[in-house]
Amino acid sequence: MRKEVQISQTYPRLTVFEDENFRGASRIFTGNLGIRNTDNILDGFESLRFFSTSSNATLVLFTRTRFRGNFRVLRGNRSIRDLDDFINGNDVESLISTNERLTLAQIRNIRRSGNLPSGYRLI
């Protein structure tokens, strides 16, 4: 009989804050995930901290919901005090947080299809 194994993903750890400068209510997310619409979390979040033990960790920020629009790719640990006007004068409307190194081709495919790779949670 085959035994089922569950893997707990501790990293990356994404902490989002309701207000700028890491203030207000916060929420912590772990593992590989995509947030389709940032306004659905804490009625929108204004700052974040992204932490991983992997140098391949990738945070992708999009200017539109559902992983559309322009995007900005960040690698490694990041703390962003203010997400307003963060991407060429546009707010962050959706994002992907992963321990994997996503290539530009993979990110463009996600943007085109709206689908995350297997093994990612969709929020």
Side-chain angles (χ1 to χ4, degrees), residues 19-82:
D19 297 320
E20 297 169 357
N21 297 314
F22 319 114
R23 295 193 174 147
S26 65
R27 191 147 175 221
I28 299 172
F29 299 95
T30 60
N32 296 331
L33 61 90
I35 297 177
R36 189 185 319 209
N37 186 344
T38 59
D39 286 341
N40 292 338
I41 310 294
L42 301 173
D43 289 327
F45 49 87
E46 297 297 325
S47 56
L48 64 79
R49 285 196 171 114
F50 177 71
F51 176 78
S52 177
T53 55
S54 170
S55 61
N56 288 324
T58 305
L59 179 66
V60 186
L61 308 171
F62 294 88
T63 58
R64 293 182 50 207
T65 60
R66 304 176 69 84
F67 319 117
R68 307 269 191 214
N70 295 326
F71 62 87
R72 186 165 180 186
V73 179
L74 305 170
R75 309 264 188 220
N77 300 329
R78 294 295 176 134
S79 292
I80 303 171
R81 293 181 174 280
D82 186 1

Side-chain angles (χ1 to χ4, degrees), residues 90-107:
N90 294 295
D91 296 346
V92 174
E93 299 293 335
S94 59
L95 64 81
I96 299 170
S97 169
T98 179
N99 247 4
E100 299 174 359
R101 183 173 191 85
L102 289 178
T103 65
L104 290 178
Q106 289 172 306
I107 295 166

